[in-house]
Amino acid sequence: MRRAPASVAALACLSVGCAAAPPRSAAAPAHTTRSATAREPEADATSNYAPAPRAQPSQERQPGATSLDIDAPASAPPQPAPPPATAPSSVGGVSVQSLGQATVSISESAAGDERERVVREARIGAQVQRIREEQIRLASNPGVCHDVCFAAGSICLAAQEVCRLTGDQDARCTRARTACTDAGHQRDGACPVCPPTH
Amino acid sequence: MIRRGLVAIAVGVALLGGCAQPGPTRGSAPSNEAVMALLGTVRALHHEADVFEGAGEFERATDAVRRILALDFPRNMAEAEDLRADAYGRLAELALRRAAPDEALSLADTGLRDTRREGVLRGRLMMVRGQSLGALADRAHAAADEPAARRFREQAVEALEASIALNQRILQRLADGGAP
């Protein structure tokens, strides 16, 4: 019977401990939520974008949902690698939703920048390719521009002399001038810069 | 002073060019070294002519270009025809600048007879021929010889149109990726 009071005391301690436990365990998520809430404006301030409206339904998702689930539509351009799936699940549902909103807004702006960058780089790449091809063509046939420029110049010189001899109204002058104009276009197309004569 | 300096440079270049002249025998295949030496000589003589022509000394410029035609080109040197055609064309142009259209016409005709290849240098010879005939037409007109003036004028325009047609063919050939 002496053991009974001791058992009662032990049970009372245990029950007190069990009664104290819920407030402690409830406090932990509250603390986590505050820190997650504090992080949300940080992310928005960094990206200068308001949280995306389509992030709202994601709050109804299961707490275990990761940022990969939220952010990865099938047609979206390649995104940076998502964080490990274990990290959000250890944080809790509310914090994952908040982080998800921030991630969506950042990833949308990043996707727009990425598309612009890809288009810009493609244009520059095409120009560089054209320049390289032209350099190869000129390097493989260095005499071409000399002859193109010489022939075009000779045509225009001859046209000038024809017009001097026949008069500007003569049909042969008109034909010669047309030949000069055409030769100039051909020269400009093939050799924008003529090599020196000597 | 500047002119004397330029002349001195030109003479020096010409002498250097003369020293490089190898004198390969006719009929034998010229070595690359011999071809390069000949090309260097021709280039030096053209530079000399440039200097004299720039100074208005057309006679001395003509002498320099005539020395190109006096070079002993090997018979099977591929560049020889072009070098001679270029020299004849320049001589004819210099003759025109010296107001000697008869001589210019003669030089252009000689160059055309000497040149087979349908290139820009042949086109230039045809054009100088047309310019020479045009100058002869002007001279006939000034002498009140209208029939001769008309005849020369017609021949001049024909030569110039032939030159235009040749250069158009060359441009087309080059545009199609053909050899110059």
Side-chain angles (χ1 to χ4, degrees), chain A residues 141 143-144 146-148 150-155 157-159 161-162 164-166 172 175-176 179 183 186 198, chain B residues 50 90 120 124 127 130-131 134-135 138 153-154 156-157 160-161 163-164 167-168 170-172 174-175 178 180:
Chain A
N141 216 346
V144 167
H146 174 269
D147 280 16
V148 166
F150 198 99
S154 294
I155 287 172
L157 206 57
E161 185 70 1
V162 166
R164 188 185 74 81
L165 293 168
T166 62
R172 289 195 284 187
R175 199 165 59 223
Q186 279 184 271
H198 292 293
Chain B
D50 287 343
R90 187 160 191 192
V120 290
R124 178 213 200 172
M127 191 184 64
Q131 288 174 320
D138 293 342
R153 198 173 295 126
E154 185 58 35
V157 172
L160 292 164
E161 286 181 332
S163 164
I164 289 172
N167 280 307
Q168 282 179 321
I170 291 168
L171 281 177
Q172 191 56 52
L174 292 170

mmCIF file of all heavy atoms in Angstrom, chain A residues 141 143-144 146-148 150-155 157-159 161-162 164-166 172 175-176 179 183 186 198, chain B residues 50 90 120 124 127 130-131 134-135 138 153-154 156-157 160-161 163-164 167-168 170-172 174-175 178 180:
data_model
loop_
_atom_site.group_PDB
_atom_site.id
_atom_site.type_symbol
_atom_site.label_atom_id
_atom_site.label_comp_id
_atom_site.label_asym_id
_atom_site.label_seq_id
_atom_site.Cartn_x
_atom_site.Cartn_y
_atom_site.Cartn_z
ATOM 1 N N ASN A 141 38.603 32.678 -100.932
ATOM 2 C CA ASN A 141 38.630 33.215 -102.286
ATOM 3 C C ASN A 141 38.983 34.699 -102.242
ATOM 4 O O ASN A 141 38.161 35.555 -102.542
ATOM 5 C CB ASN A 141 37.252 33.016 -102.937
ATOM 6 C CG ASN A 141 37.393 32.694 -104.407
ATOM 7 O OD1 ASN A 141 38.467 32.874 -104.978
ATOM 8 N ND2 ASN A 141 36.321 32.247 -104.997
ATOM 9 N N GLY A 143 40.692 36.695 -104.077
ATOM 10 C CA GLY A 143 40.729 37.506 -105.294
ATOM 11 C C GLY A 143 39.365 37.943 -105.769
ATOM 12 O O GLY A 143 39.258 38.792 -106.658
ATOM 13 N N VAL A 144 38.327 37.353 -105.201
ATOM 14 C CA VAL A 144 36.968 37.607 -105.704
ATOM 15 C C VAL A 144 36.587 39.080 -105.550
ATOM 16 O O VAL A 144 36.115 39.708 -106.493
ATOM 17 C CB VAL A 144 35.957 36.692 -104.985
ATOM 18 C CG1 VAL A 144 34.541 37.151 -105.249
ATOM 19 C CG2 VAL A 144 36.128 35.267 -105.454
ATOM 20 N N HIS A 146 38.412 41.686 -105.223
ATOM 21 C CA HIS A 146 39.182 42.561 -106.114
ATOM 22 C C HIS A 146 38.529 42.596 -107.489
ATOM 23 O O HIS A 146 38.320 43.666 -108.066
ATOM 24 C CB HIS A 146 40.624 42.051 -106.221
ATOM 25 C CG HIS A 146 41.441 42.810 -107.219
ATOM 26 N ND1 HIS A 146 41.529 42.434 -108.550
ATOM 27 C CD2 HIS A 146 42.154 43.958 -107.102
ATOM 28 C CE1 HIS A 146 42.282 43.306 -109.191
ATOM 29 N NE2 HIS A 146 42.675 44.238 -108.337
ATOM 30 N N ASP A 147 38.189 41.425 -108.014
ATOM 31 C CA ASP A 147 37.615 41.370 -109.358
ATOM 32 C C ASP A 147 36.195 41.919 -109.391
ATOM 33 O O ASP A 147 35.806 42.583 -110.356
ATOM 34 C CB ASP A 147 37.646 39.923 -109.874
ATOM 35 C CG ASP A 147 39.025 39.549 -110.390
ATOM 36 O OD1 ASP A 147 39.982 40.274 -110.060
ATOM 37 O OD2 ASP A 147 39.154 38.556 -111.125
ATOM 38 N N VAL A 148 35.423 41.645 -108.349
ATOM 39 C CA VAL A 148 34.049 42.175 -108.302
ATOM 40 C C VAL A 148 34.081 43.704 -108.317
ATOM 41 O O VAL A 148 33.360 44.361 -109.081
ATOM 42 C CB VAL A 148 33.320 41.655 -107.035
ATOM 43 C CG1 VAL A 148 32.047 42.444 -106.774
ATOM 44 C CG2 VAL A 148 32.979 40.188 -107.183
ATOM 45 N N PHE A 150 36.584 45.658 -109.231
ATOM 46 C CA PHE A 150 37.184 46.152 -110.476
ATOM 47 C C PHE A 150 36.167 46.108 -111.615
ATOM 48 O O PHE A 150 36.026 47.074 -112.383
ATOM 49 C CB PHE A 150 38.416 45.297 -110.817
ATOM 50 C CG PHE A 150 39.354 45.924 -111.803
ATOM 51 C CD1 PHE A 150 40.506 46.573 -111.370
ATOM 52 C CD2 PHE A 150 39.101 45.881 -113.159
ATOM 53 C CE1 PHE A 150 41.367 47.160 -112.282
ATOM 54 C CE2 PHE A 150 39.960 46.460 -114.072
ATOM 55 C CZ PHE A 150 41.106 47.108 -113.628
ATOM 56 N N ALA A 151 35.466 44.991 -111.743
ATOM 57 C CA ALA A 151 34.486 44.849 -112.832
ATOM 58 C C ALA A 151 33.356 45.865 -112.675
ATOM 59 O O ALA A 151 32.955 46.522 -113.652
ATOM 60 C CB ALA A 151 33.930 43.424 -112.844
ATOM 61 N N ALA A 152 32.863 46.026 -111.456
ATOM 62 C CA ALA A 152 31.769 46.986 -111.227
ATOM 63 C C ALA A 152 32.235 48.408 -111.529
ATOM 64 O O ALA A 152 31.511 49.196 -112.155
ATOM 65 C CB ALA A 152 31.273 46.878 -109.786
ATOM 66 N N GLY A 153 33.446 48.727 -111.100
ATOM 67 C CA GLY A 153 33.980 50.066 -111.366
ATOM 68 C C GLY A 153 34.166 50.306 -112.853
ATOM 69 O O GLY A 153 33.867 51.398 -113.365
ATOM 70 N N SER A 154 34.640 49.284 -113.574
ATOM 71 C CA SER A 154 34.847 49.418 -115.023
ATOM 72 C C SER A 154 33.517 49.636 -115.738
ATOM 73 O O SER A 154 33.440 50.424 -116.691
ATOM 74 C CB SER A 154 35.533 48.166 -115.571
ATOM 75 O OG SER A 154 36.837 48.067 -115.059
ATOM 76 N N ILE A 155 32.491 48.924 -115.294
ATOM 77 C CA ILE A 155 31.165 49.081 -115.923
ATOM 78 C C ILE A 155 30.684 50.526 -115.768
ATOM 79 O O ILE A 155 30.197 51.141 -116.737
ATOM 80 C CB ILE A 155 30.158 48.087 -115.300
ATOM 81 C CG1 ILE A 155 30.462 46.665 -115.784
ATOM 82 C CG2 ILE A 155 28.721 48.471 -115.656
ATOM 83 C CD1 ILE A 155 29.653 45.584 -115.089
ATOM 84 N N LEU A 157 32.494 53.211 -115.185
ATOM 85 C CA LEU A 157 33.373 54.122 -115.949
ATOM 86 C C LEU A 157 33.001 54.095 -117.433
ATOM 87 O O LEU A 157 32.919 55.146 -118.093
ATOM 88 C CB LEU A 157 34.826 53.685 -115.748
ATOM 89 C CG LEU A 157 35.913 54.749 -115.897
ATOM 90 C CD1 LEU A 157 35.672 55.902 -114.942
ATOM 91 C CD2 LEU A 157 37.284 54.129 -115.653
ATOM 92 N N ALA A 158 32.771 52.900 -117.941
ATOM 93 C CA ALA A 158 32.369 52.765 -119.352
ATOM 94 C C ALA A 158 31.007 53.417 -119.585
ATOM 95 O O ALA A 158 30.795 54.082 -120.618
ATOM 96 C CB ALA A 158 32.332 51.285 -119.731
ATOM 97 N N ALA A 159 30.096 53.249 -118.623
ATOM 98 C CA ALA A 159 28.766 53.867 -118.764
ATOM 99 C C ALA A 159 28.875 55.389 -118.812
ATOM 100 O O ALA A 159 28.183 56.056 -119.589
ATOM 101 C CB ALA A 159 27.878 53.432 -117.592
ATOM 102 N N GLU A 161 31.363 57.101 -119.942
ATOM 103 C CA GLU A 161 31.905 57.478 -121.254
ATOM 104 C C GLU A 161 30.851 57.320 -122.348
ATOM 105 O O GLU A 161 30.752 58.157 -123.257
ATOM 106 C CB GLU A 161 33.147 56.610 -121.551
ATOM 107 C CG GLU A 161 33.887 56.952 -122.815
ATOM 108 C CD GLU A 161 34.627 58.303 -122.757
ATOM 109 O OE1 GLU A 161 34.582 58.966 -121.705
ATOM 110 O OE2 GLU A 161 35.209 58.687 -123.791
ATOM 111 N N VAL A 162 30.064 56.258 -122.250
ATOM 112 C CA VAL A 162 28.980 56.059 -123.232
ATOM 113 C C VAL A 162 28.031 57.254 -123.194
ATOM 114 O O VAL A 162 27.647 57.806 -124.244
ATOM 115 C CB VAL A 162 28.213 54.738 -122.950
ATOM 116 C CG1 VAL A 162 26.902 54.681 -123.726
ATOM 117 C CG2 VAL A 162 29.080 53.535 -123.290
ATOM 118 N N ARG A 164 28.613 60.245 -122.159
ATOM 119 C CA ARG A 164 29.281 61.462 -122.662
ATOM 120 C C ARG A 164 29.237 61.494 -124.192
ATOM 121 O O ARG A 164 29.045 62.553 -124.802
ATOM 122 C CB ARG A 164 30.745 61.483 -122.179
ATOM 123 C CG ARG A 164 31.479 62.789 -122.465
ATOM 124 C CD ARG A 164 32.943 62.706 -122.085
ATOM 125 N NE ARG A 164 33.732 61.905 -123.002
ATOM 126 C CZ ARG A 164 34.213 62.341 -124.171
ATOM 127 N NH1 ARG A 164 33.959 63.564 -124.582
ATOM 128 N NH2 ARG A 164 34.940 61.536 -124.945
ATOM 129 N N LEU A 165 29.401 60.324 -124.804
ATOM 130 C CA LEU A 165 29.459 60.267 -126.270
ATOM 131 C C LEU A 165 28.070 60.290 -126.916
ATOM 132 O O LEU A 165 27.910 60.828 -128.014
ATOM 133 C CB LEU A 165 30.207 58.997 -126.714
ATOM 134 C CG LEU A 165 31.704 58.962 -126.374
ATOM 135 C CD1 LEU A 165 32.274 57.563 -126.575
ATOM 136 C CD2 LEU A 165 32.472 59.975 -127.235
ATOM 137 N N THR A 166 27.098 59.710 -126.276
ATOM 138 C CA THR A 166 25.770 59.599 -126.904
ATOM 139 C C THR A 166 24.797 60.674 -126.418
ATOM 140 O O THR A 166 23.815 60.961 -127.100
ATOM 141 C CB THR A 166 25.130 58.225 -126.591
ATOM 142 O OG1 THR A 166 24.954 58.115 -125.170
ATOM 143 C CG2 THR A 166 25.989 57.085 -127.083
ATOM 144 N N ARG A 172 21.089 54.053 -125.350
ATOM 145 C CA ARG A 172 22.296 53.304 -124.977
ATOM 146 C C ARG A 172 22.892 53.839 -123.669
ATOM 147 O O ARG A 172 23.476 53.084 -122.893
ATOM 148 C CB ARG A 172 23.317 53.367 -126.114
ATOM 149 C CG ARG A 172 22.867 52.524 -127.297
ATOM 150 C CD ARG A 172 23.973 52.262 -128.266
ATOM 151 N NE ARG A 172 24.268 53.442 -129.083
ATOM 152 C CZ ARG A 172 25.114 53.427 -130.109
ATOM 153 N NH1 ARG A 172 25.739 52.314 -130.450
ATOM 154 N NH2 ARG A 172 25.336 54.509 -130.809
ATOM 155 N N ARG A 175 20.735 52.346 -120.941
ATOM 156 C CA ARG A 175 21.075 50.934 -120.723
ATOM 157 C C ARG A 175 22.388 50.802 -119.945
ATOM 158 O O ARG A 175 22.507 49.972 -119.037
ATOM 159 C CB ARG A 175 21.184 50.229 -122.088
ATOM 160 C CG ARG A 175 21.070 48.726 -121.999
ATOM 161 C CD ARG A 175 20.817 48.107 -123.362
ATOM 162 N NE ARG A 175 21.858 48.414 -124.326
ATOM 163 C CZ ARG A 175 21.631 48.769 -125.602
ATOM 164 N NH1 ARG A 175 20.406 48.871 -126.057
ATOM 165 N NH2 ARG A 175 22.642 49.013 -126.415
ATOM 166 N N ALA A 176 23.356 51.647 -120.330
ATOM 167 C CA ALA A 176 24.658 51.589 -119.651
ATOM 168 C C ALA A 176 24.522 52.001 -118.186
ATOM 169 O O ALA A 176 25.150 51.406 -117.302
ATOM 170 C CB ALA A 176 25.652 52.492 -120.370
ATOM 171 N N ALA A 179 23.109 49.228 -116.246
ATOM 172 C CA ALA A 179 24.152 48.224 -115.985
ATOM 173 C C ALA A 179 25.036 48.661 -114.826
ATOM 174 O O ALA A 179 25.435 47.841 -113.984
ATOM 175 C CB ALA A 179 24.993 48.020 -117.242
ATOM 176 N N ALA A 183 25.431 46.664 -111.362
ATOM 177 C CA ALA A 183 26.775 46.235 -110.937
ATOM 178 C C ALA A 183 27.072 46.734 -109.529
ATOM 179 O O ALA A 183 27.687 46.022 -108.730
ATOM 180 C CB ALA A 183 27.821 46.762 -111.918
ATOM 181 N N GLN A 186 25.341 44.478 -107.123
ATOM 182 C CA GLN A 186 26.052 43.193 -107.022
ATOM 183 C C GLN A 186 27.309 43.351 -106.164
ATOM 184 O O GLN A 186 27.629 42.495 -105.342
ATOM 185 C CB GLN A 186 26.434 42.679 -108.409
ATOM 186 C CG GLN A 186 25.281 41.979 -109.122
ATOM 187 C CD GLN A 186 25.725 41.403 -110.445
ATOM 188 O OE1 GLN A 186 25.673 42.071 -111.474
ATOM 189 N NE2 GLN A 186 26.163 40.167 -110.428
ATOM 190 N N HIS A 198 45.951 48.794 -105.420
ATOM 191 C CA HIS A 198 47.338 48.312 -105.556
ATOM 192 C C HIS A 198 47.768 47.662 -104.257
ATOM 193 O O HIS A 198 47.785 48.300 -103.241
ATOM 194 C CB HIS A 198 48.279 49.474 -105.879
ATOM 195 C CG HIS A 198 48.029 50.017 -107.246
ATOM 196 N ND1 HIS A 198 48.278 49.320 -108.392
ATOM 197 C CD2 HIS A 198 47.510 51.202 -107.646
ATOM 198 C CE1 HIS A 198 47.943 50.059 -109.445
ATOM 199 N NE2 HIS A 198 47.469 51.203 -109.015
ATOM 200 N N ASP B 50 53.535 54.777 -110.032
ATOM 201 C CA ASP B 50 52.587 55.535 -109.187
ATOM 202 C C ASP B 50 53.188 56.880 -108.773
ATOM 203 O O ASP B 50 52.523 57.918 -108.808
ATOM 204 C CB ASP B 50 52.242 54.746 -107.919
ATOM 205 C CG ASP B 50 51.333 53.562 -108.202
ATOM 206 O OD1 ASP B 50 50.723 53.538 -109.287
ATOM 207 O OD2 ASP B 50 51.249 52.680 -107.334
ATOM 208 N N ARG B 90 47.708 49.844 -118.441
ATOM 209 C CA ARG B 90 48.202 51.053 -117.761
ATOM 210 C C ARG B 90 48.931 51.966 -118.743
ATOM 211 O O ARG B 90 48.814 53.200 -118.662
ATOM 212 C CB ARG B 90 49.127 50.656 -116.609
ATOM 213 C CG ARG B 90 49.506 51.857 -115.795
ATOM 214 C CD ARG B 90 49.998 51.524 -114.419
ATOM 215 N NE ARG B 90 50.067 52.772 -113.647
ATOM 216 C CZ ARG B 90 50.665 52.868 -112.480
ATOM 217 N NH1 ARG B 90 51.217 51.815 -111.926
ATOM 218 N NH2 ARG B 90 50.698 54.030 -111.844
ATOM 219 N N VAL B 120 38.972 40.557 -115.913
ATOM 220 C CA VAL B 120 38.758 41.999 -115.737
ATOM 221 C C VAL B 120 39.822 42.818 -116.469
ATOM 222 O O VAL B 120 39.558 43.958 -116.882
ATOM 223 C CB VAL B 120 38.748 42.379 -114.242
ATOM 224 C CG1 VAL B 120 37.506 41.863 -113.551
ATOM 225 C CG2 VAL B 120 39.992 41.912 -113.524
ATOM 226 N N ARG B 124 39.222 45.776 -119.041
ATOM 227 C CA ARG B 124 39.829 47.105 -118.909
ATOM 228 C C ARG B 124 40.456 47.542 -120.237
ATOM 229 O O ARG B 124 40.338 48.719 -120.626
ATOM 230 C CB ARG B 124 40.898 47.040 -117.823
ATOM 231 C CG ARG B 124 41.654 48.323 -117.608
ATOM 232 C CD ARG B 124 43.075 48.000 -117.213
ATOM 233 N NE ARG B 124 43.765 49.091 -116.548
ATOM 234 C CZ ARG B 124 44.955 48.939 -115.993
ATOM 235 N NH1 ARG B 124 45.539 47.744 -115.974
ATOM 236 N NH2 ARG B 124 45.580 49.968 -115.464
ATOM 237 N N MET B 127 37.823 48.728 -122.430
ATOM 238 C CA MET B 127 37.331 50.045 -122.027
ATOM 239 C C MET B 127 38.307 51.145 -122.435
ATOM 240 O O MET B 127 37.890 52.200 -122.935
ATOM 241 C CB MET B 127 37.124 50.090 -120.515
ATOM 242 C CG MET B 127 36.371 51.323 -120.081
ATOM 243 S SD MET B 127 36.225 51.443 -118.313
ATOM 244 C CE MET B 127 37.921 51.604 -117.842
ATOM 245 N N GLY B 130 37.828 51.883 -125.967
ATOM 246 C CA GLY B 130 36.671 52.759 -126.172
ATOM 247 C C GLY B 130 36.980 54.209 -125.813
ATOM 248 O O GLY B 130 36.587 55.141 -126.532
ATOM 249 N N GLN B 131 37.705 54.391 -124.729
ATOM 250 C CA GLN B 131 38.073 55.760 -124.320
ATOM 251 C C GLN B 131 38.994 56.399 -125.365
ATOM 252 O O GLN B 131 38.862 57.596 -125.668
ATOM 253 C CB GLN B 131 38.775 55.726 -122.963
ATOM 254 C CG GLN B 131 37.838 55.408 -121.799
ATOM 255 C CD GLN B 131 38.587 55.241 -120.481
ATOM 256 O OE1 GLN B 131 39.662 54.647 -120.441
ATOM 257 N NE2 GLN B 131 38.017 55.759 -119.407
ATOM 258 N N GLY B 134 36.955 57.367 -128.251
ATOM 259 C CA GLY B 134 36.187 58.561 -127.872
ATOM 260 C C GLY B 134 37.045 59.822 -127.968
ATOM 261 O O GLY B 134 36.573 60.872 -128.438
ATOM 262 N N ALA B 135 38.294 59.694 -127.516
ATOM 263 C CA ALA B 135 39.207 60.843 -127.605
ATOM 264 C C ALA B 135 39.501 61.186 -129.067
ATOM 265 O O ALA B 135 39.604 62.374 -129.427
ATOM 266 C CB ALA B 135 40.500 60.524 -126.853
ATOM 267 N N ASP B 138 36.573 63.074 -130.370
ATOM 268 C CA ASP B 138 36.613 64.472 -129.912
ATOM 269 C C ASP B 138 37.591 65.286 -130.769
ATOM 270 O O ASP B 138 37.304 66.441 -131.138
ATOM 271 C CB ASP B 138 37.058 64.531 -128.445
ATOM 272 C CG ASP B 138 36.030 63.921 -127.508
ATOM 273 O OD1 ASP B 138 34.855 63.762 -127.922
ATOM 274 O OD2 ASP B 138 36.401 63.573 -126.370
ATOM 275 N N ARG B 153 33.062 57.795 -132.868
ATOM 276 C CA ARG B 153 32.129 57.769 -131.744
ATOM 277 C C ARG B 153 31.374 56.432 -131.700
ATOM 278 O O ARG B 153 31.221 55.833 -130.638
ATOM 279 C CB ARG B 153 31.150 58.942 -131.847
ATOM 280 C CG ARG B 153 30.440 59.271 -130.561
ATOM 281 C CD ARG B 153 29.606 60.532 -130.674
ATOM 282 N NE ARG B 153 30.411 61.720 -130.888
ATOM 283 C CZ ARG B 153 30.246 62.593 -131.892
ATOM 284 N NH1 ARG B 153 29.276 62.417 -132.777
ATOM 285 N NH2 ARG B 153 31.038 63.645 -132.012
ATOM 286 N N GLU B 154 30.955 56.004 -132.894
ATOM 287 C CA GLU B 154 30.231 54.726 -132.966
ATOM 288 C C GLU B 154 31.117 53.562 -132.515
ATOM 289 O O GLU B 154 30.679 52.692 -131.739
ATOM 290 C CB GLU B 154 29.728 54.499 -134.404
ATOM 291 C CG GLU B 154 28.863 53.271 -134.577
ATOM 292 C CD GLU B 154 27.627 53.279 -133.687
ATOM 293 O OE1 GLU B 154 27.062 54.374 -133.445
ATOM 294 O OE2 GLU B 154 27.242 52.199 -133.232
ATOM 295 N N ALA B 156 33.662 53.777 -130.601
ATOM 296 C CA ALA B 156 33.931 53.930 -129.156
ATOM 297 C C ALA B 156 32.794 53.337 -128.327
ATOM 298 O O ALA B 156 33.040 52.568 -127.371
ATOM 299 C CB ALA B 156 34.118 55.410 -128.828
ATOM 300 N N VAL B 157 31.566 53.671 -128.705
ATOM 301 C CA VAL B 157 30.418 53.170 -127.930
ATOM 302 C C VAL B 157 30.345 51.641 -128.027
ATOM 303 O O VAL B 157 30.053 50.956 -127.025
ATOM 304 C CB VAL B 157 29.112 53.845 -128.409
ATOM 305 C CG1 VAL B 157 27.897 53.193 -127.748
ATOM 306 C CG2 VAL B 157 29.134 55.329 -128.096
ATOM 307 N N LEU B 160 32.940 50.251 -125.723
ATOM 308 C CA LEU B 160 32.538 50.428 -124.316
ATOM 309 C C LEU B 160 31.411 49.468 -123.944
ATOM 310 O O LEU B 160 31.410 48.899 -122.835
ATOM 311 C CB LEU B 160 32.106 51.880 -124.078
ATOM 312 C CG LEU B 160 33.239 52.914 -124.175
ATOM 313 C CD1 LEU B 160 32.685 54.326 -124.328
ATOM 314 C CD2 LEU B 160 34.149 52.832 -122.945
ATOM 315 N N GLU B 161 30.459 49.279 -124.854
ATOM 316 C CA GLU B 161 29.362 48.332 -124.568
ATOM 317 C C GLU B 161 29.896 46.905 -124.483
ATOM 318 O O GLU B 161 29.415 46.106 -123.660
ATOM 319 C CB GLU B 161 28.285 48.448 -125.642
ATOM 320 C CG GLU B 161 27.453 49.722 -125.495
ATOM 321 C CD GLU B 161 26.353 49.854 -126.543
ATOM 322 O OE1 GLU B 161 26.518 49.302 -127.655
ATOM 323 O OE2 GLU B 161 25.344 50.510 -126.249
ATOM 324 N N SER B 163 32.835 46.158 -123.434
ATOM 325 C CA SER B 163 33.500 46.104 -122.125
ATOM 326 C C SER B 163 32.484 45.886 -121.008
ATOM 327 O O SER B 163 32.706 45.076 -120.089
ATOM 328 C CB SER B 163 34.266 47.414 -121.908
ATOM 329 O OG SER B 163 34.613 47.574 -120.559
ATOM 330 N N ILE B 164 31.352 46.611 -121.098
ATOM 331 C CA ILE B 164 30.300 46.443 -120.074
ATOM 332 C C ILE B 164 29.781 45.010 -120.087
ATOM 333 O O ILE B 164 29.627 44.378 -119.023
ATOM 334 C CB ILE B 164 29.152 47.452 -120.325
ATOM 335 C CG1 ILE B 164 29.614 48.873 -119.997
ATOM 336 C CG2 ILE B 164 27.922 47.096 -119.477
ATOM 337 C CD1 ILE B 164 28.622 49.959 -120.388
ATOM 338 N N ASN B 167 32.293 42.638 -118.507
ATOM 339 C CA ASN B 167 32.343 42.755 -117.038
ATOM 340 C C ASN B 167 31.071 42.218 -116.392
ATOM 341 O O ASN B 167 31.121 41.688 -115.273
ATOM 342 C CB ASN B 167 32.584 44.217 -116.651
ATOM 343 C CG ASN B 167 34.043 44.604 -116.766
ATOM 344 O OD1 ASN B 167 34.910 43.936 -116.213
ATOM 345 N ND2 ASN B 167 34.339 45.669 -117.501
ATOM 346 N N GLN B 168 29.939 42.357 -117.073
ATOM 347 C CA GLN B 168 28.699 41.760 -116.533
ATOM 348 C C GLN B 168 28.813 40.235 -116.491
ATOM 349 O O GLN B 168 28.362 39.607 -115.537
ATOM 350 C CB GLN B 168 27.510 42.173 -117.392
ATOM 351 C CG GLN B 168 27.030 43.589 -117.128
ATOM 352 C CD GLN B 168 25.867 43.987 -118.012
ATOM 353 O OE1 GLN B 168 25.822 43.639 -119.201
ATOM 354 N NE2 GLN B 168 24.917 44.718 -117.454
ATOM 355 N N ILE B 170 31.555 38.582 -116.177
ATOM 356 C CA ILE B 170 32.497 38.265 -115.084
ATOM 357 C C ILE B 170 31.788 38.329 -113.732
ATOM 358 O O ILE B 170 31.937 37.437 -112.890
ATOM 359 C CB ILE B 170 33.699 39.237 -115.115
ATOM 360 C CG1 ILE B 170 34.565 38.962 -116.345
ATOM 361 C CG2 ILE B 170 34.543 39.108 -113.849
ATOM 362 C CD1 ILE B 170 35.593 40.042 -116.623
ATOM 363 N N LEU B 171 31.000 39.388 -113.527
ATOM 364 C CA LEU B 171 30.265 39.516 -112.263
ATOM 365 C C LEU B 171 29.313 38.338 -112.053
ATOM 366 O O LEU B 171 29.196 37.810 -110.948
ATOM 367 C CB LEU B 171 29.485 40.833 -112.235
ATOM 368 C CG LEU B 171 30.271 42.104 -111.913
ATOM 369 C CD1 LEU B 171 29.365 43.327 -112.000
ATOM 370 C CD2 LEU B 171 30.894 42.029 -110.525
ATOM 371 N N GLN B 172 28.644 37.954 -113.143
ATOM 372 C CA GLN B 172 27.711 36.826 -113.028
ATOM 373 C C GLN B 172 28.451 35.541 -112.683
ATOM 374 O O GLN B 172 28.001 34.748 -111.849
ATOM 375 C CB GLN B 172 26.940 36.670 -114.356
ATOM 376 C CG GLN B 172 25.774 35.706 -114.274
ATOM 377 C CD GLN B 172 24.785 36.093 -113.185
ATOM 378 O OE1 GLN B 172 24.318 37.235 -113.143
ATOM 379 N NE2 GLN B 172 24.487 35.173 -112.272
ATOM 380 N N LEU B 174 31.289 35.279 -111.111
ATOM 381 C CA LEU B 174 31.741 35.338 -109.720
ATOM 382 C C LEU B 174 30.585 35.115 -108.751
ATOM 383 O O LEU B 174 30.740 34.465 -107.719
ATOM 384 C CB LEU B 174 32.405 36.691 -109.439
ATOM 385 C CG LEU B 174 33.735 36.939 -110.155
ATOM 386 C CD1 LEU B 174 34.173 38.384 -109.999
ATOM 387 C CD2 LEU B 174 34.808 36.015 -109.618
ATOM 388 N N ALA B 175 29.420 35.666 -109.114
ATOM 389 C CA ALA B 175 28.245 35.473 -108.254
ATOM 390 C C ALA B 175 27.835 34.005 -108.207
ATOM 391 O O ALA B 175 27.313 33.529 -107.195
ATOM 392 C CB ALA B 175 27.084 36.320 -108.748
ATOM 393 N N GLY B 178 32.120 31.025 -109.505
ATOM 394 C CA GLY B 178 33.199 30.668 -110.417
ATOM 395 C C GLY B 178 34.513 31.333 -110.041
ATOM 396 O O GLY B 178 34.571 32.178 -109.146
ATOM 397 N N PRO B 180 37.783 33.787 -110.367
ATOM 398 C CA PRO B 180 37.899 35.173 -110.823
ATOM 399 C C PRO B 180 38.454 35.263 -112.247
ATOM 400 O O PRO B 180 39.190 34.408 -112.653
ATOM 401 C CB PRO B 180 38.878 35.811 -109.847
ATOM 402 C CG PRO B 180 39.080 34.858 -108.755
ATOM 403 C CD PRO B 180 38.612 33.521 -109.207
#
